[in-house]
Every structure is written in structure tokens, then in C-alpha cells.
Amino acid sequence: MQLEAAGRPLQQVWRERRPQPGRGEVAIRVLACGVCRTDLHLADGDLPLPGHPVVPGHEIVGRIEALGEGVAGLGVGDRVGVPWLGWTCGECEPCRAGRENLCEHARFTGWQIAGGYAGHAVADARYVFRLPERYGDEQAAPLLCAGLIGWRAYTMAGDAKRLGLYGFGAAAHLIAQVAVAQGRELHAFTRPGDAAAQALARELGAAWAGGSDEAPRAPLDAALIFAPVGALVPAALRAVRPGGTVVCAGIHMSDIPSFPYAWLWGERRIVSVANLTRADGDAFMAVAAQLPLRVHATRYALADANRALADLREGRVSGAAVLVP
């Protein structure tokens, strides 16, 4: 399923031959691919196309069909996951400093690199992860972005004991379970009136769940914003205590409205999450292997990718949407 231009529906495209791996790459038969809000930003034009049609999808679960020259440590038949960060140069200043998520020349799966809205894909062998066996293909797919970005946002909140999650979708419903298992007090903020998402949050252990227009019952130590709504930043600042942190976890967000300096004062912080590192992936997969995370996934056929994106856009997906070829 290929995006020819922003604002247009994805088109089903048939290739004459399967993609072949180059040096350092693996060819993968796609078993499942999660539908991420970043895919929606690409389809809607919030992220620019890279000058050519794009096959979206960066939560890929598949089995290796072929190895390119020089690949070691992986074998044909291995089940692997492919995340958003698909390639880095290893030479720029951020890479040399161990911050490959900020690589100046990075390429991303489902954007500059053809992604998983397909039957087959090719990935850089350095940027694939082995997946915990306890998760089926459809359940493992959301771990690869919703889980990973949620994890990076969560770690940036430090040792916050009372944690707020704004937007309770794919990422929040996973990291909520990690937070509860680690003894955090969780507050979930959803679209006002979204009773289903609030019920899911309580079911997964939230101490409180309500609309994003409501105040928490006690000041938060940190807030993670997963919804791409800039107006939530001032709301979250008002909800955190002095010294608290607001983490913006999306790759795109609507403009943040102006707000009084007093809401930021008191050494409150606003930080953003950019992409991920392989270390993030290794750390989160280890956690996911230990914790029996409940992954709420709604299955769509690959040919129904446009419907999956529309359902995500309109808030009709509870948990995560996953495409299956």
C-alpha cells in the first residue's frame, strides 16, 4: 500500500519481484505491521514526502527470508521487528556521542525507507530487534514504536511517582502497564467523554482516569503527552508540581498556545522525545519479555490500510491498529 501524495488515499501496488537485500541488509516477509500516528501525519502532509512515493509502516514484524552480504548474528527464518529508526551514519557528532536518535543523516522506516505496509520489506540488519516469544505477531507489532517511544518518554520522566498520560492510545496503554508494574500512581487523560479509553485505563491499573479538560486529584510529578495536541502542553504544565516534567512524545504536534510564565516557573521542564536508539529497543524488549503486557490490537487486512488510518484519525481505535498481509 503506497502513498503517492499527501492527502490522497494509499494505492495498492504490485511489484514484479520481491525486494532483495544489499550488503548489511535482510529481506523480510512481513507478518504484521502496526499503524502509527506518524503514518497518519505522513498521509495528511504534516511530514513531507521525501521526493518519491512512500510505503508507510515502521512497526514491522516479519521473518527473515534472505541475508545480504556481511550480515552476522541473524539467520533465515528468524522472527524480527523493524522500528522507526532505520539507518544512521555513525559518523556525525550525535552518533559519536551515543545519541544516534539525533543523527544528522538518519533515515526512517516507512518514510525514507520503504516500510511494512507490504508483503515484503528490506531492513538494515543493524536496526532490527529480536522479539519476545510470548507475543504473537499482531501483539508484537505495536511494541516497535508505541512501546519504544512510550518507553523513551517514560525514562525521560525520571523517578516520577505520580505520572500522568495525556492521550490513551497505543503507546499509553503499553507504558501504563509498565508504570503500574513498577509501582507508579497513574493518571490517564483522554479525549473528553471517551468513556471506553477511560475504562481501559482503569482496567490496566490507572488510579484515576478522566478527560484532558479535567485536573488531576493531586499534582503530578511528570506528564507524558502522546496526543499530538499542542494545547495539552499548558494543561499538563498546570497539572505538574514545581520541579515536574512534561514530556512531549510525538514526532509532530499542533502549535503550542501561549501561556503565562507562572505556569512554567518553579523549575518545571518541557522536553521532547526524538526517535529512539537501539539501546532503547534492547531495554524495552527486555522489560516486555518479563512483563506480560496486554496488547490491545485491532486487526485490519493490508488492503484496508486506508480504513485503519481513518479509524485512527477519528479516534475509533482502542489500543493499537495492526495490518496483516
Side-chain angles (χ1 to χ4, degrees):
M1 297 297 290
Q2 181 169 279
L3 179 66
E4 303 285 342
R8 296 184 187 176
L10 275 64
Q11 300 296 315
Q12 194 170 50
V13 176
W14 293 88
R15 308 294 192 202
E16 293 183 359
R17 60 194 295 267
R18 295 179 183 178
Q20 300 300 307
R23 181 175 178 81
E25 295 179 333
V26 292
I28 296 169
R29 177 169 61 88
V30 178
L31 303 174
C33 184
V35 179
C36 178
R37 189 165 291 277
T38 302
D39 303 334
L40 192 59
H41 292 318
L42 189 63
D44 290 347
D46 298 322
L47 296 179
L49 291 181
H52 56 75
V54 170
V55 178
H58 56 273
E59 297 177 320
I60 307 172
V61 175
R63 290 205 178 271
I64 295 177
E65 291 189 313
L67 305 175
E69 183 182 353
V71 174
L74 295 169
V76 172
D78 288 352
R79 189 178 76 144
V80 295
V82 184
W84 169 244
L85 186 63
W87 183 90
T88 61
C89 70
E91 299 176 355
C92 67
E93 185 174 347
C95 282
R96 294 197 308 272
R99 306 183 71 183
E100 64 183 5
N101 61 307
L102 302 179
C103 174
E104 297 168 1
H105 309 288
R107 301 177 67 207
F108 300 98
T109 310
W111 193 10
Q112 292 90 359
I113 302 170
Y117 285 22
H120 301 269
V122 166
D124 187 320
R126 301 174 301 163
Y127 289 89
V128 302
F129 298 112
R130 295 188 183 276
L131 301 169
E133 291 297 329
R134 73 188 313 155
Y135 301 98
D137 300 332
E138 294 174 36
Q139 286 67 45
L143 302 181
L144 289 155
C145 185
L148 289 178
I149 294 299
W151 173 256
R152 188 169 179 86
Y154 178 69
T155 59
M156 292 180 75
D159 61 353
K161 300 302 181 185
R162 184 177 294 117
L163 186 67
L165 304 182
Y166 284 78
F168 205 83
H173 97 282
L174 293 175
I175 208 61
Q177 296 173 67
V178 176
V180 170
Q182 294 184 348
R184 314 291 180 101
E185 180 184 315
L186 190 68
H187 293 238
F189 299 82
T190 73
R191 294 186 186 192
D194 191 343
Q198 292 167 21
L200 176 60
R202 296 188 192 98
E203 183 182 341
L204 295 177
W208 178 90
S212 59
D213 56 346
E214 300 179 55
R217 61 187 184 187
L220 305 173
D221 296 312
L224 312 183
I225 302 179
F226 294 109
V229 181
L232 291 176
V233 173
L237 278 174
R238 298 193 73 183
V240 300
R241 61 167 176 77
T245 302
V246 174
V247 183
C248 302
I251 192 172
H252 173 81
M253 179 179 278
S254 60
D255 289 348
I256 300 172
S258 63
F259 55 87
Y261 175 67
W263 297 359
L264 179 63
W265 190 78
E267 298 192 349
R268 294 173 177 88
R269 299 187 305 144
I270 304 172
V271 297
S272 69
V273 168
N275 314 315
L276 67 138
T277 67
R278 284 171 286 181
D280 292 328
D282 293 338
F284 177 69
M285 291 304 168
V287 170
Q290 294 175 354
L291 294 178
L293 298 177
R294 294 171 55 191
V295 183
H296 292 253
T298 301
R299 176 176 178 160
Y300 295 81
L302 176 60
D304 291 330
N306 287 307
R307 181 165 63 87
L309 287 170
D311 287 348
L312 181 61
R313 183 185 294 109
E314 298 301 323
R316 293 190 290 262
V317 177
S318 178
V322 178
L323 301 178
V324 179

